[in-house]
Amino acid sequence: GLIYVKFNGEIIIKRAFGYANKELEIRNDINTIFGTGSRPIDYTVAAIYLLDQKGLLNIEDNISKYIKNVPKDKSKITIQHLLSGQSGLPDFFDTDADWDPDLAWVNRETAFKRMLSQELLFEPGTDRKHSHGAFGMLAAIVEIVSNQTYYEFISKNFFEPAGMKRAGEYGEAKEFKIQDFAAGGGPMFVGIPNIPPNWGPTSWLVKGSGGMYSTLDDLLKFYELVRSNKVLDTEHNQWFTNSSFNLDGSDRG
């Protein structure tokens, strides 16, 4: 993996260790591309706040303003509820029929149907529980409001301005080679080698909350951009500038 520690503006350590691909005896380095677990949640948050900043949506809006046929029990869910874990939506919405809880192909329409038919954990706004599904719903709202795909929107507004050239979605290799990726091991083994380009296109099971890859330096470029006031103004980048604690994980390596 990689370890990076910065304290009071000083980089204490930034180092790669271990193997990116043991079979090929390729060691990790700072430019090795990894699947990034739930880190794309922050791309989704940035996209929503940018659309709010542009006046194309309001985070206090009910989701029914953008999504058709919202049932009564979910009609009070707002964009803010989705952002803050207060929507009441369960964490995930995969089913036993999906061959994999992350990689099975589900389109946006099917994702909507599943999420809107789920039983809420609590009435919107009355409690707080993290939901990956909520960020999938936010990613869909990004598409509906911007009239672009989710990936097009975050690429144009964040990846390209930040200079993130080694970030992408599952199922695409771009110009990269096998040697550029860290190969995952363990029980979540899919494809030979087990790397993001071999996992199929990013499903709406994880769109907006996963399904992407990047490098340490590209992630650092993203955070530098969203904290800089160059894209998001001071009012809209507080998610990224306030004190916070983040924990990521990915069983796929």
Side-chain angles (χ1 to χ4, degrees):
L2 299 162
I3 186 167
Y4 173 82
V5 179
K6 186 176 182 180
F7 185 71
N8 285 343
E10 180 186 355
I11 297 173
I12 307 300
I13 187 170
K14 181 180 181 182
R15 187 170 71 84
F17 57 94
Y19 285 92
N21 190 316
K22 254 188 173 180
E23 274 189 18
L24 300 180
E25 296 187 346
I26 299 167
R27 298 193 68 84
N28 278 317
D29 65 35
I30 294 299
N31 293 312
T32 299
I33 301 170
F34 287 83
T36 52
S38 300
R39 183 53 40 184
I41 284 174
D42 276 356
Y43 306 153
T44 304
V45 171
I48 288 292
Y49 276 113
L50 181 59
L51 290 169
D52 181 85
Q53 180 177 300
K54 291 176 177 289
L56 298 175
L57 59 72
N58 188 311
I59 61 172
E60 301 301 333
D61 287 338
N62 287 356
I63 61 170
S64 56
K65 183 172 180 178
Y66 307 98
I67 301 170
K68 297 178 182 178
N69 303 317
V70 175
K72 186 177 180 181
D73 65 322
K74 300 175 182 70
S75 61
K76 293 182 180 179
I77 295 177
T78 66
I79 292 175
Q80 179 61 49
H81 288 151
L82 296 174
L83 287 167
S84 61
Q86 295 179 294
S87 67
L89 290 170
D91 200 6
F92 296 100
F93 54 91
D94 58 291
T95 70
D96 292 339
D98 297 321
W99 69 268
D100 185 277
D102 295 339
L103 304 184
W105 174 249
V106 166
N107 62 23
R108 195 179 84 184
E109 182 181 359
T110 300
F112 268 149
K113 286 180 179 178
R114 290 189 186 184
M115 284 189 278
L116 293 176
S117 65
Q118 286 181 303
E119 183 178 346
L120 291 178
L121 302 177
F122 49 83
E123 184 179 344
T126 64
D127 203 345
R128 192 183 300 269
K129 192 171 179 64
H130 181 71
S131 170
H132 279 76
F135 291 96
M137 190 170 285
L138 288 169
I141 290 172
V142 169
E143 291 198 341
I144 292 165
V145 172
S146 70
N147 202 31
Q148 299 175 61
T149 69
Y150 170 79
Y151 187 36
E152 286 171 346
F153 186 85
I154 62 173
S155 295
K156 179 181 178 181
N157 290 285
F158 299 101
F159 290 8
E160 291 172 15
M164 296 168 64
K165 297 180 179 179
R166 295 173 75 82
E169 285 197 311
Y170 289 175
E172 63 167 2
K174 295 187 174 181
E175 74 281 9
F176 304 125
K177 301 174 183 178
I178 289 173
Q179 294 90 333
D180 292 318
F181 291 89
M188 305 292 279
F189 198 96
V190 178
I192 301 174
N194 185 23
I195 59 176
N198 293 338
W199 297 344
T202 298
S203 169
W204 277 91
L205 287 173
V206 293
K207 182 85 76 171
S209 70
M212 300 189 75
Y213 59 76
S214 188
T215 65
L216 172 62
D217 276 348
D218 268 12
L219 291 176
L220 293 175
K221 288 174 183 176
F222 170 76
Y223 288 105
E224 182 180 357
L225 177 70
V226 293
R227 291 168 178 153
S228 68
N229 294 344
K230 292 178 181 177
V231 177
L232 297 173
D233 60 27
T234 304
E235 179 186 350
H236 290 90
N237 69 7
Q238 290 180 20
W239 177 287
F240 304 102
T241 57
N242 286 343
S243 296
S244 65
F245 176 83
N246 300 288
L247 177 66
D248 287 343
S250 177
D251 291 334
R252 294 192 184 284

